[in-house]
Amino acid sequence: MIEDYSSLLKTRLSEVLRTTNAHLSALKDLRILTIEDFYYYFPKSYRDERDMVSISQLSLDQVNVVQGTLAKLLSRRTKTNKIMTSAWLGDDTGAIEVLWFNQPHIQRLFRNGDEVILTGKIKYNGGRIYFPSPKYEIVRQKQLHSARLVPCYHEHGPITSKWIREKINPILKGTAFLPDPLPEKIIENEHLMSYGKAIRTVHDPHNEEELKQAKERLAFDELFQLHLIALKRRQEFRNKFKNTERVVTVSPENSREFILALPFELTGAQKKVIEELTVDLGLPYPMSRLIQGDVGSGKTVVAAFALYHVIKSGFQGALMAPTEILVRQHYHTLLEFLGRYHFNIQMLTGSLVNSVKRDILRQIASGTVDIVVGTQAIIQENVSFKKLGLAVIDEQHRFGVRQRELLQKQGSPHVLNLSATPIPRTLAMVLYGDQDVSILDELPPGRQEIITRLVPEEKRVDAERWIADQINKGRQIFIICPLIDESDVLGVKAVTVEYERLSTEVFREFTIGLLHGKLATDEKEHIMSKFKNGEINILVSTSVVEVGIDVPNATIMLIEGAERFGLSQLHQFRGRVGRGAHQSYCFLFTNYKNEVSLKRLKAMCEYASGFRLAEIDLASRGPGEIYGVRQSGIPDLKMASWADGVLLQRVHRAAYRYVAELGIRKITKGA
Ligand code: ADP
Ligand code: MG
């Protein structure tokens, strides 16, 4: 009997299990050292063997579970010198012959008269019906391996499912004494099964309903812990960067003026995010918010709203984008929204002559520049803002970790990240830690649908002819190629091969540009601007073309080897077209024939929302594969799933309430 149950979990299995060194060493491979590790080695699936049949009911086409008495147990050698053990299994309704091939231990294990449960298919061969090599278990008080929902585990060497069931069952009693890690109130409010019962149930479920509750409980715990960590990180960030000097006044009059002057009506989603920003800007610590929204959802105007109030309150603003082309694009968009207020808005790019650059830097330092639009160069050491109130960062994943440090040097301004990579909100929260997340999940009215089609190899020629026709009508086209092999990290080989093929065979009469990761930045920009200006008909590229470039005349996005990309990435590519007046198309070329694999790609044809696609992507691939586990720090989940939006929402709310009740200030509206 173990007295101290708090130490129960930490008890080493080598002290409590009677087993061999080979088993212990295999357990070690699986990182199962303590009782807790063992409890947490959850089954991967369950076999439903609850329906037993009598011998007269045995059926040829399914797995049968049948209980009976063994008789005439006999082993002999076959002509090929193998051992065959035979017996008869009988019950009130009849008897059937059982044959085990090459399992000499059967003869030692059983005696005539033993009550056993056999599981397997029966066979009809040469005029007789028999049971070939069924699974077996002696009838005991409690069946472990048959006649129940049988848990099946990932097996490793001598650690078989059967072995685990034998070993774990006796120590499951201890679960009754496990302290529950969740606060009682949450367990009550959320109607959760107790912790100990949940652990016991996943290894020994009575029925599906109970199993479902147990899994839900353990998934809840797993996600709850992650949310607590994220909330704590956020709190620490806030305490560290208290900043009463950066409080921006968002006056309702100014807001109204800004909104009324816009050339369009804001979408509902934009209005909601603007409300969230209004709260953030007035708080005594730097805002750290991520706005996620599909391409074209109108993130820039929302950022302009924040910049506008920041300037009105006497601060400066910065808007950063990953490339010069995007910087120029943003600059013009900002002028569209803010031009009428006569703010001093400057562009700071690498291509400026030094004297101009020096002059702008001086103006930034003296405070005469209100807004600087530039690449990340604008927060480098040699730039010093007089009073930076807000930094807007477009496509933040392109910036390094040093970005926050640099911003700190500029007096810890508010930070607004814009991203067109949709990640479900709750996942984003765990992923991005100290950031609040806003979502623009609504496109402005009147956006055209991009017609998306899967193109099998046999339709290639037709498709290429159609595309040539479109180019002759003046349209432009993107062609994206995946990496062909591991060694081709930058995809140079893949695009080069395709570029050759297209320019010598298929599209000889057109001008084709080539873009890949090995080109220098200014070369890349040069090709992009030629494409933008219409000097190039076709741009063949690796995935480097991903970020928000705007080429209204490009109407076709053709993706080779589409099955090699994730849905979120495909969706990003697709967002590069459909920006002008012409109907746009996305063609996914694939050699895949397999229905299951095609299903994922078909979702692209069906859904236009990046968030919907991100969820589907998550359900089929998991976040590690999509976002890269290392890079993102997303932990592997044992029980929960990132695709379970409903549970994630519940956990999210519970964690917020819990933290709020602990006395930590509730920070975000609507949480
Ligand atoms: P993204 O979210 O991809 O950065 P942008 O901010 O560039 O999107 O906006 C795309 C286009 O939509 C811009 O031309 C912008 O002026 C326009 N736009 C933004 N919001 C609205 C709206 N509510 N109604 C109509 N057009 C809008
Ligand atoms: Mg944008």
Side-chain angles (χ1 to χ4, degrees):
M1 220 22 215
I2 301 164
E3 295 294 334
D4 176 7
Y5 292 104
S6 58
S7 65
L8 166 72
L9 285 174
K10 302 292 169 214
T11 310
R12 298 189 79 77
L13 286 176
S14 53
E15 291 164 30
V16 286
L17 290 188
R18 225 184 296 171
T19 189
T20 69
N21 281 336
H23 284 88
L24 285 174
S25 127
L27 282 174
K28 206 168 145 196
D29 293 343
L30 294 170
R31 302 204 188 159
I32 304 175
L33 299 174
T34 63
I35 288 189
E36 180 175 29
D37 301 335
F38 210 13
Y39 283 168
Y40 267 92
Y41 196 68
F42 298 143
K44 67 175 193 319
S45 61
Y46 299 83
R47 250 191 354 255
D48 187 354
E49 291 192 6
R50 285 169 299 179
D51 286 338
M52 286 216 273
V53 294
S54 62
I55 286 174
S56 66
Q57 291 170 317
L58 285 171
S59 130
L60 271 173
D61 3 282
Q62 67 192 50
V63 172
N64 299 284
V65 186
V66 59
Q67 178 173 348
T69 314
L70 285 180
K72 300 187 190 166
L73 199 60
L74 180 75
S75 282
R76 59 191 159 82
R77 287 201 177 270
T78 63
K79 272 174 262 169
T80 52
N81 207 26
K82 300 223 168 90
I83 288 182
M84 185 173 78
T85 310
S86 64
W88 282 79
L89 182 80
D91 68 6
D92 296 346
T93 66
I96 183 169
E97 192 177 7
V98 188
L99 298 175
W100 282 283
F101 302 97
N102 252 347
Q103 298 188 50
H105 56 282
I106 298 281
Q107 180 78 48
R108 291 192 299 274
L109 208 60
F110 295 132
R111 272 166 230 285
N112 289 326
D114 276 352
E115 276 286 297
V116 295
I117 295 173
L118 301 183
T119 308
K121 285 195 170 175
I122 58 172
K123 207 165 178 178
Y124 178 71
N125 195 358
R128 60 180 197 172
I129 292 182
Y130 62 100
F131 226 144
S133 300
K135 294 196 172 125
Y136 51 85
E137 182 178 18
I138 287 263
V139 171
R140 42 181 151 181
Q141 226 172 10
K142 176 178 161 59
Q143 297 312 129
L144 289 182
H145 312 297
S146 52
R148 63 185 287 221
L149 276 175
V150 187
C152 306
Y153 299 83
H154 277 292
E155 305 194 332
H156 173 66
I159 308 299
T160 60
S161 286
K162 196 166 183 174
W163 185 90
I164 294 175
R165 291 192 288 265
E166 290 285 351
K167 297 299 179 189
I168 203 164
N169 261 278
I171 58 171
L172 285 178
K173 284 197 287 289
T175 56
F177 305 98
L178 290 176
D180 202 308
L182 275 188
E184 214 167 303
K185 206 160 157 193
I186 293 179
I187 299 171
E188 227 169 78
N189 287 343
E190 298 290 334
H191 309 288
L192 296 172
M193 182 184 269
S194 81
Y195 180 68
K197 183 170 178 196
I199 295 270
R200 200 207 67 217
T201 301
V202 292
H203 294 290
D204 184 17
H206 291 126
N207 55 57
E208 277 118 340
E209 183 49 35
E210 195 190 61
L211 179 59
K212 188 169 150 247
Q213 285 175 29
K215 285 177 161 182
E216 176 194 274
R217 164 64 213 255
L218 295 171
F220 194 102
D221 276 45
E222 201 171 22
L223 296 173
F224 189 80
Q225 291 312 322
L226 290 174
H227 276 79
L228 275 194
I229 293 168
L231 287 173
K232 225 174 114 197
R233 253 202 319 244
R234 234 162 60 121
Q235 193 56 36
E236 279 165 7
F237 171 76
R238 262 158 213 186
N239 293 338
K240 195 163 153 202
F241 296 110
K242 267 209 182 321
N243 193 345
T244 43
E245 281 147 37
R246 289 283 189 284
V247 176
V248 173
T249 328
V250 182
S251 86
E253 293 74 38
N254 284 347
S255 286
R256 206 167 313 124
E257 190 190 346
F258 177 87
I259 290 168
L260 285 176
L262 291 174
F264 44 69
E265 174 86 7
L266 290 172
T267 64
Q270 284 171 324
K271 285 183 191 156
K272 206 171 133 239
V273 175
I274 277 182
E275 265 177 51
E276 288 168 338
L277 291 180
T278 302
V279 174
D280 281 1
L281 290 170
L283 294 175
Y285 36 76
M287 154 170 81
S288 174
R289 187 170 282 277
L290 169 70
I291 299 182
Q292 296 194 112
D294 261 336
V295 169
S297 59
K299 295 183 286 291
T300 322
V301 67
V302 172
F305 170 88
L307 285 166
Y308 164 81
H309 284 290
V310 165
I311 315 303
K312 284 274 185 188
S313 297
F315 301 104
Q316 294 167 292
L319 173 56
M320 286 174 266
T323 66
E324 290 220 357
I325 296 181
L326 287 172
V327 166
R328 238 164 275 140
Q329 217 168 273
H330 275 306
Y331 174 74
H332 292 292
T333 317
L334 278 191
L335 283 182
E336 188 188 330
F337 299 133
L338 299 175
R340 64 200 306 273
Y341 305 107
H342 307 294
F343 297 150
N344 182 356
I345 306 178
Q346 297 289 341
M347 239 194 308
L348 188 63
T349 64
S351 54
L352 291 178
V353 286
N354 275 335
S355 58
V356 178
K357 202 186 275 174
R358 267 199 305 274
D359 184 47
I360 295 177
L361 287 176
R362 255 197 308 273
Q363 290 187 50
I364 292 173
S366 69
T368 47
V369 166
D370 295 314
I371 300 175
V372 190
V373 188
T375 55
Q376 61 176 330
I378 63 178
I379 52 164
Q380 301 304 319
E381 336 274 330
N382 62 343
V383 186
S384 143
F385 285 82
K386 175 122 190 284
K387 215 177 175 190
L388 184 61
L390 168 67
V392 179
I393 304 168
D394 198 23
E395 295 304 335
Q396 53 105 41
H397 58 277
R398 293 287 165 128
F399 289 93
V401 250
R402 248 170 59 73
Q403 162 204 341
R404 173 154 278 155
E405 253 173 66
L406 289 167
L407 285 170
Q408 238 171 289
K409 291 213 179 92
Q410 304 288 352
S412 295
H414 293 294
V415 176
L416 193 55
N417 281 301
L418 310 180
S419 167
T421 311
I423 299 169
R425 184 199 297 273
T426 43
L427 173 57
M429 189 183 143
V430 173
L431 244 174
Y432 297 127
D434 56 39
Q435 293 189 64
D436 292 300
V437 181
S438 292
I439 291 182
L440 287 177
D441 52 1
E442 190 182 343
L443 291 184
R447 286 286 150 81
Q448 60 160 290
E449 182 202 351
I450 298 164
I451 296 172
T452 305
R453 295 277 180 270
L454 280 185
V455 184
E457 201 48 45
E458 56 271 22
K459 293 264 178 69
R460 176 181 287 276
V461 176
D462 288 347
E464 285 174 343
R465 204 171 297 144
W466 187 86
I467 288 167
D469 194 43
Q470 291 290 309
I471 301 174
N472 280 323
K473 286 182 180 154
R475 305 288 84 78
Q476 288 168 282
I477 163 173
F478 287 102
I479 298 180
I480 308 287
C481 303
L483 309 185
I484 356 186
D485 53 49
E486 287 295 318
S487 62
D488 185 26
V489 184
L490 297 169
V492 181
K493 198 162 133 203
V495 277
T496 312
V497 168
E498 184 63 8
Y499 176 79
E500 289 301 321
R501 187 182 80 89
L502 293 173
S503 44
T504 57
E505 296 170 28
V506 193
F507 295 125
R508 254 183 315 208
E509 68 270 40
F510 303 121
T511 318
I512 307 180
L514 177 61
L515 198 67
H516 55 69
K518 213 166 183 177
L519 298 176
T521 312
D522 50 351
E523 265 178 286
K524 264 189 258 176
E525 297 233 339
H526 180 64
I527 291 170
M528 273 316 299
S529 41
K530 272 173 85 174
F531 187 57
K532 203 172 158 141
N533 300 336
E535 294 162 48
I536 290 175
N537 304 114
I538 301 172
L539 185 68
V540 182
S541 173
T542 58
S543 57
V544 294
V545 80
E546 230 181 307
V547 216
I549 191 77
D550 210 352
V551 185
N553 192 48
T555 57
I556 300 169
M557 170 55 70
L558 189 164
I559 299 162
E560 294 284 350
E563 73 281 351
R564 300 203 183 202
F565 295 102
L567 293 183
S568 298
Q569 211 181 359
L570 291 173
H571 179 68
Q572 285 277 343
F573 295 144
R574 179 165 64 183
R576 302 280 66 82
V577 296
R579 310 195 131 216
H582 299 285
Q583 174 62 52
S584 295
Y585 304 86
C586 176
F587 296 125
L588 306 170
F589 279 58
T590 180
N591 294 328
Y592 266 36
K593 296 277 180 255
N594 179 314
E595 265 308 304
V596 182
S597 331
L598 285 179
K599 210 174 134 208
R600 213 166 59 86
L601 291 179
K602 283 188 177 147
M604 283 296 296
C605 307
E606 207 171 317
Y607 301 104
S609 152
F611 286 99
R612 184 79 194 92
L613 290 167
E615 274 165 19
I616 295 170
D617 223 3
L618 265 178
S620 64
R621 296 197 307 157
E625 220 179 307
I626 301 175
Y627 311 112
V629 176
R630 275 278 170 67
Q631 225 173 304
S632 60
I634 309 170
D636 268 336
L637 295 178
K638 285 196 147 132
M639 190 55 92
S641 152
W642 291 114
D644 187 348
V646 177
L647 185 65
L648 275 160
Q649 279 299 337
R650 274 174 65 193
V651 174
H652 187 68
R653 266 197 302 272
Y656 256 89
R657 206 171 299 145
Y658 175 67
V659 170
E661 279 166 19
L662 276 186
I664 299 174
R665 191 138 47 111
K666 201 172 163 194
I667 290 136
T668 297
K669 281 180 49 148

